[in-house]
Amino acid sequence: MNTYTFSGKVLPERANMSITRPLPIAMEAKDAGISGAGAISILVSQISVVFNTEDSNVDLPTLKNYVEGIVRNLVDAYGYLSGRGYDIEITSVVDPAGMQTVFGVGVGALEQTQSERPLSFQDLKDVVFKSQELRRALSDLREAIRSPLDTGFFCYRAIECIRQSFRQAEDGDKDGPSWGRLRDMLRVDRSWIEVVKKSADPQRHGGTPYMSGEDRVSAMLHAWKVVDRFCIYVRRGFNPLPEDEFTVLKEA
């Protein structure tokens, strides 16, 4: 039996939450190849999860995401009953060998692309207040990182937020024209956005499909590139990106 002990916090910590007795949990994540059982304890907003599994080849970030999802579900239930808005984070784990891992707040594949962002923070801090749609999109990208089980949903909604910037009064209740303007103005092919939409559709409609780490990273990288283009578009006064400077983002 392999035992993993996770630690974390209920946020905000100032609103203390405690569960008086440990809650048993079971996990059967067949798509991820993880199964086992354990218990969750929460005392004065401090989370402890002991998880036991027979599996010897566990992907630690994937296990962390599933454990975090289970804890968040229980805290959401508590928040529903109490009328309070809580969040949680799992901050570290001690593995069966006794080694401790402290989890960061980023996604490695995204952190490696920092140099590809078209604007510096100094530039972006001024641009962000010029577009409500950009502010909403950035908040969705944050949630795409923080909520692994809903990454597809939040990545696509970030793009949908941007699309709202291209709506015109004559569109009425039709979405097609604004999508067309987004693609034309930002030079993004439909196939590029479809990669994100494919992963988002089940989640948008209440489904809970397994999303591999590879698919999750792909959805994020595609969404980040669209937001990159929109940041430039806003900074340049909401003018179309020129053909001789920007190649069309297109899925191979």
Side-chain angles (χ1 to χ4, degrees):
M1 185 66 67
N2 298 302
T3 300
Y4 296 82
T5 304
F6 291 86
S7 298
K9 299 177 180 180
V10 178
L11 303 173
E13 289 185 80
R14 65 181 182 277
N16 284 341
M17 174 184 170
S18 295
I19 296 176
T20 55
R21 63 179 64 183
L23 299 175
I25 60 169
M27 183 188 299
E28 188 68 30
K30 294 181 179 179
D31 291 332
I34 301 174
S35 61
I40 296 173
S41 298
I42 301 177
L43 183 62
V44 196
S45 296
Q46 306 305 300
I47 300 168
S48 178
V49 181
V50 177
F51 181 74
N52 301 304
T53 179
E54 297 286 353
D55 303 321
S56 57
N57 188 26
V58 172
D59 180 71
L60 200 53
T62 300
L63 177 58
K64 179 257 188 184
N65 289 342
Y66 273 94
V67 167
E68 192 169 70
I70 292 173
V71 177
R72 181 169 278 113
N73 293 157
L74 293 171
V75 172
D76 284 346
Y78 188 94
Y80 158 71
L81 292 172
S82 61
R84 298 169 184 163
Y86 292 105
D87 198 0
I88 70 108
E89 63 175 358
I90 298 299
T91 54
S92 66
V93 64
V94 176
D95 67 21
M99 297 295 294
Q100 183 182 30
T101 297
V102 178
F103 300 110
V105 297
V107 174
L110 283 175
E111 291 177 321
Q112 292 171 14
T113 67
Q114 288 184 52
S115 62
E116 298 177 18
R117 302 288 78 80
L119 303 183
S120 67
F121 180 72
Q122 189 68 23
D123 294 328
L124 188 58
K125 71 178 179 59
D126 297 324
V127 170
V128 75
F129 293 107
K130 295 180 180 179
S131 169
Q132 178 181 344
E133 293 81 11
L134 176 57
R135 296 194 295 275
R136 291 293 304 274
L138 294 178
S139 71
D140 281 329
L141 295 186
R142 175 237 302 155
E143 291 304 314
I145 294 173
R146 290 180 54 83
S147 303
L149 300 184
D150 291 315
T151 291
F153 169 82
F154 284 112
C155 283
Y156 191 66
R157 198 171 76 170
I159 298 175
E160 287 188 301
C161 288
I162 286 173
R163 196 259 309 172
Q164 294 294 332
S165 182
F166 296 95
R167 292 189 68 89
Q168 295 181 3
E170 61 265 26
D171 294 346
D173 58 359
K174 296 180 181 179
D175 293 338
S178 55
W179 278 116
R181 293 185 199 102
L182 180 154
R183 294 193 298 268
D184 291 342
M185 298 288 192
L186 303 185
R187 297 188 53 73
V188 180
D189 187 76
R190 186 192 300 267
S191 64
W192 188 268
I193 297 173
E194 282 296 322
V195 171
V196 186
K197 187 176 186 295
K198 182 179 178 180
S199 67
D201 278 348
Q203 297 173 4
R204 293 168 69 211
H205 298 290
T208 55
Y210 170 68
M211 193 174 190
S212 70
E214 182 180 353
D215 288 343
R216 183 176 178 239
V217 166
S218 176
M220 287 191 285
L221 291 175
H222 280 73
W224 252 255
K225 284 293 187 182
V226 176
V227 175
D228 285 348
R229 293 280 176 99
F230 189 65
C231 287
I232 300 170
Y233 172 80
V234 174
R235 187 168 188 247
R236 295 186 178 185
F238 300 88
N239 290 311
L241 302 186
E243 180 179 348
D244 60 354
E245 190 176 347
F246 295 89
T247 59
V248 174
L249 289 176
K250 187 175 183 179
E251 189 63 12

